[in-house]
Amino acid sequence: ASHQFFLMDLQNNDKESVNLWTTLDENHLEQKQDENKTSSEERTAVPPDPQNDDVHSIRDTFCLALNILGCFFYMMNYYIVHSSSVQFVNSLGLSDAMSGLIIGAMPWAAMFSSFVFSFWSNTCYRAPLLTSGAFLTAGNVLYASAYRSQSFGMALMGRFLTGLGGPKSLNRRYIADTTPLAKRTVVNAFFGVATAMGSALGPAIAIALDEADFQFELPIYGNVILNGMTGPGYVMGILWLLYTIILAISFAEPDRVGLDEQRAKELAQLKSNDCADDDIENLANFASDSSNLETNYYNENINDEVQITEHEKCLGKMHHVRADITPAVQICMFLLFSKMFTVESVISAAPMITKNRYGWSVQKIGALGTIVGCVTIPISMFIGYISRYREDRLIMLGLMTIAAFGMGFLIDVTDFIGSPTDTYNEDKVLAVGPWRYTLGYSLVVCSVQAFDGVAGSVLSKVIPTSLASGTLNSGLLATTVGTFGRACGDAFITIVGLVDLRHVLNMLFVPSFLILALDLALIWWNYGILYA
C-alpha cells in the first residue's frame, strides 16, 4: 500500500515537485555562495588583483566570441552547398529533387549529436567543442571527395558527418549559461548576426568557387579536383581545421554566471509568490535528501520487501520533466520548429525553383542568398538594439507578421484561378515573377532569421533552472526542435519535387503561410506568458 501511495503522490503533486526541485536549486546555490564567502574570508590577507579580473573578463569574452564564430562557420558550411546542390546531384546522374537529401542529411545528423553534446556540456565545453571540430573537418573533406569517386552515398555520408559535428546546441547553451539575463537578448542578437553572416558568406564563396576548375596532387590523399561542386567541402574543411586548432590552444572553461543568476531569480519569485519561509525551509530539508529518495524508501520498507524498480525511477524523472516543460517553453519550442520549417522551405528550394521557373544560374542563386544575408545583418543588429527598450514578445509578434506577409507574396494565385501553363503563367499580372519572388524571399528570410535570436532568448529566460542546468537545457531544446524543423523542411522539398515539379511553388508555400499564420495566433493568444 505504501508502495502505491508513493507513486500516486509522485504523479498528483506537479506544483509541489516544481517547488521542491527549485528549492533544491536554492539550497545548492546558497551553499555554494556560503562556501565562496568562507573561502573569501580565509583569504582576506590577499588583496584582489584588478589585473587578474581584466584578464579573466578578456578570456571570457574571447571564448564567447569563439562560440559565436563557430555558429558563423556552421551556417556558412550549411548554405555554401545550396547554390551548387542541384548541379552536384546532376553530375552524379540524379534528378533535381535529390538535392533536398544532400542538404537535409546535415540537420538530421545534428539532431542525434545535439543530445550527446548537451549531456557532455553538463560538465565541460572544451572536449565536445573539439570533437565537433574534428567531425566537421572530416565530413567536409569526405563530401568533396564524393565527386572524384562519383558516389552519392559518400556525399551523403560527408554531409551526415558534418551534421554530427554541428555545434549550435553547444553555442546556444554557452550563451545561456554564461551571459547575464539583462544582456542575453543582445548576445543572442549577435548570434543571429553570425547566423546571417554565415548564410550570406556561404553563397558568396560558392559563387567564387564556381569559377574554379583545376586539379593537383597531394601526398597520401591523391588527386584533388577543385571546382564549384567540390570547392565548398575543401574550403570548409580547412577553415574547421584552423578553428579547431585555435580552440584547442586558447579555450578555457567558463563560469556559468547566467545560470546562477537565473536560479537566484527563480528563488526570489518562489519566496515572494509561492511559499512562506517556513514552507521553503521544510521543503529544503526534504529536498536535501532527495538524491537518496529511492534508497531511503527501500530501507524504511525493507521488512515488507518493497523496492523501487527502475521503471518507477524513470516515471519519477519523467514526472519532473513534464512539470518543468511549461506552456511558455512549449510555445517557444513550437515557434522555433515552425519558423525553421518555413524558412528552410524557402531557402533550400530556391535552386530548384529558380532553375526551372526563371532559368537562373548558380551565380544568380548565390547572389540572391548573399544579398539577403547581408541585409539580415543590420536587421539583426537593430533587433539587438531595440531589445533594450521593447519586450521580446512584442518584437516576436512584429517579425512574424512580416514573415507571414512575405510568404503570401510567394503564393502564385494564377495557378488557382486559371489553367496552369508550362511558362508558369508569366503573361499574367498576378503570377510570381522574378522580382516578386525576390521580394517575398527577402521578407521571409530576413524576418525569420532575426526572429531566431529573439525566440532563443525568450526560451532561455522562461525555461526552469531544473532543466537549464541539465541535459534538457535551452540550447538543446532550441537546437533540436529547430534542426528537426530544418530536416522536415528538406524532406518536404524532396517529396514535393518528386510529386509535381511544376506546382512546387504553391505546394511548398501555401502550407508554410498557414504555419506562419498559426504562429502569429499562438503569440497573440499567449502573449501574457511569453515574458521573463
Side-chain angles (χ1 to χ4, degrees):
S2 61
H3 175 63
Q4 295 177 348
F5 173 78
F6 174 80
L7 291 178
M8 292 175 61
D9 182 67
L10 187 63
Q11 294 172 351
N12 294 326
N13 290 281
D14 285 357
K15 186 173 181 180
E16 283 84 348
S17 66
V18 175
N19 292 339
L20 169 63
W21 296 108
T22 306
T23 308
L24 180 58
D25 285 335
E26 175 189 12
N27 261 0
H28 176 74
L29 179 59
E30 291 179 347
Q31 182 180 2
K32 184 177 180 181
Q33 290 173 342
D34 291 340
E35 291 174 354
N36 291 339
K37 183 178 179 181
T38 303
S39 178
S40 177
E41 290 173 352
E42 292 173 352
R43 297 191 303 267
T44 51
V46 180
D49 188 350
Q51 186 175 2
N52 287 340
D53 292 339
D54 292 340
V55 171
H56 186 76
S57 177
I58 293 172
R59 184 206 69 183
D60 290 344
T61 303
F62 180 73
C63 292
L64 178 62
L66 277 178
N67 272 271
I68 294 177
L69 180 63
C71 170
F72 165 73
F73 280 152
Y74 183 73
M75 296 312 298
M76 186 169 72
N77 203 157
Y78 186 80
Y79 287 108
I80 196 172
V81 304
H82 275 217
S83 303
S84 60
S85 59
V86 173
Q87 185 182 2
F88 195 104
V89 295
N90 290 160
S91 70
L92 300 178
L94 301 172
S95 65
D96 295 359
M98 299 305 290
S99 63
L101 292 180
I102 289 284
I103 298 171
M106 193 167 166
W108 280 109
M111 282 193 299
F112 295 106
S113 63
S114 61
F115 284 94
V116 178
F117 287 148
S118 180
F119 179 78
W120 204 347
S121 62
N122 287 338
T123 56
C124 67
Y125 282 106
R126 179 184 172 85
L129 284 171
L130 291 175
T131 303
S132 166
F135 274 123
L136 287 159
T137 303
N140 278 285
V141 174
L142 186 61
Y143 173 77
S145 303
Y147 181 83
R148 181 182 64 180
S149 303
Q150 285 292 290
S151 172
F152 182 69
M154 185 181 290
L156 284 178
M157 181 57 67
R159 291 289 287 178
F160 191 84
L161 277 178
T162 305
L164 285 179
K168 286 194 74 175
S169 63
L170 293 169
N171 303 145
R172 284 184 183 274
R173 182 176 188 178
Y174 191 95
I175 292 172
D177 282 2
T178 64
T179 307
L181 290 171
K183 299 180 180 179
R184 194 168 298 173
T185 301
V186 176
V187 176
N188 273 281
F190 279 104
F191 184 86
V193 170
T195 300
M197 290 178 65
S199 304
L201 192 58
I205 294 177
I207 293 174
L209 291 173
D210 192 58
E211 300 296 327
D213 188 11
F214 58 91
Q215 304 181 29
F216 59 92
E217 292 287 332
L218 280 181
I220 302 175
Y221 181 79
N223 187 36
V224 177
I225 303 174
L226 190 65
N227 56 33
M229 291 167 282
T230 63
Y234 288 128
V235 168
M236 292 310 306
I238 294 173
L239 287 177
W240 280 117
L241 179 61
L242 295 174
Y243 174 81
T244 305
I245 293 172
I246 294 173
L247 200 69
I249 295 172
S250 59
F251 185 82
E253 292 295 334
D255 296 326
R256 308 197 183 200
V257 294
L259 185 59
D260 290 340
E261 182 185 358
Q262 195 166 345
R263 280 199 184 103
K265 181 179 179 181
E266 285 188 6
L267 252 158
Q269 293 175 346
L270 181 67
K271 289 181 177 179
S272 61
N273 298 330
D274 293 340
C275 298
D277 291 340
D278 293 340
D279 296 330
I280 293 178
E281 183 177 356
N282 292 334
L283 282 172
N285 292 333
F286 177 74
S288 63
D289 297 325
S290 62
S291 60
N292 298 318
L293 182 62
E294 293 89 349
T295 304
N296 293 339
Y297 181 79
Y298 170 69
N299 290 336
E300 292 172 2
N301 297 277
I302 191 169
N303 294 330
D304 298 330
E305 298 182 355
V306 177
Q307 296 187 23
I308 302 299
T309 66
E310 291 298 324
H311 174 67
E312 290 161 359
K313 293 178 184 178
C314 183
L315 285 177
K317 293 177 182 178
M318 291 174 61
H319 169 79
H320 296 300
V321 170
R322 288 198 304 269
D324 288 337
I325 300 181
T326 61
V329 173
Q330 295 173 20
I331 292 170
C332 287
M333 289 171 63
F334 180 79
L335 291 175
L336 288 167
F337 167 82
S338 56
K339 68 92 185 172
M340 192 58 71
F341 178 90
T342 54
V343 77
E344 192 67 14
S345 298
V346 174
I347 296 177
S348 294
M352 181 168 55
I353 291 174
T354 55
K355 174 194 171 187
N356 292 283
R357 199 174 184 99
Y358 312 123
W360 284 9
S361 63
V362 172
Q363 288 84 355
K364 282 189 176 181
I365 299 169
L368 175 63
T370 300
I371 293 171
V372 173
C374 290
V375 172
T376 306
I377 294 171
I379 293 176
S380 297
M381 296 179 68
F382 175 72
I383 294 299
Y385 172 76
I386 66 171
S387 67
R388 297 183 294 177
Y389 309 102
R390 295 291 184 269
E391 294 179 349
D392 292 342
R393 53 187 177 175
L394 180 62
I395 299 173
M396 290 168 64
L397 195 63
L399 290 172
M400 192 55 65
T401 301
I402 296 173
F405 187 72
M407 192 67 73
F409 266 95
L410 296 176
I411 298 175
D412 194 340
V413 295
T414 61
D415 283 346
F416 300 122
I417 61 178
S419 300
T421 65
D422 293 337
T423 58
Y424 297 96
N425 307 325
E426 61 182 10
D427 56 328
K428 298 181 180 180
V429 177
L430 296 178
V432 179
W435 287 106
R436 179 172 158 185
Y437 177 84
T438 302
L439 176 61
Y441 180 100
S442 303
L443 288 174
V444 173
V445 174
C446 290
S447 56
V448 172
Q449 295 285 30
F451 180 88
D452 181 64
V454 183
S457 176
V458 172
L459 178 59
S460 71
K461 293 176 182 178
V462 301
I463 191 170
T465 53
S466 52
L467 290 182
S469 58
T471 303
L472 294 178
N473 53 79
S474 62
L476 173 69
L477 294 179
T479 302
T480 301
V481 296
T483 304
F484 183 60
R486 192 190 298 275
C488 289
D490 290 327
F492 188 49
I493 291 170
T494 301
I495 294 171
V496 168
L498 292 173
V499 171
D500 189 352
L501 199 59
R502 166 62 180 81
H503 294 92
V504 69
L505 192 76
N506 285 338
M507 291 177 69
L508 285 175
F509 299 150
V510 170
S512 296
F513 175 79
L514 296 176
I515 291 173
L516 291 178
L518 176 61
D519 288 345
L520 266 176
L522 279 175
I523 297 173
W524 181 261
W525 290 334
N526 299 279
Y527 193 78
I529 64 174
L530 295 176
Y531 177 76

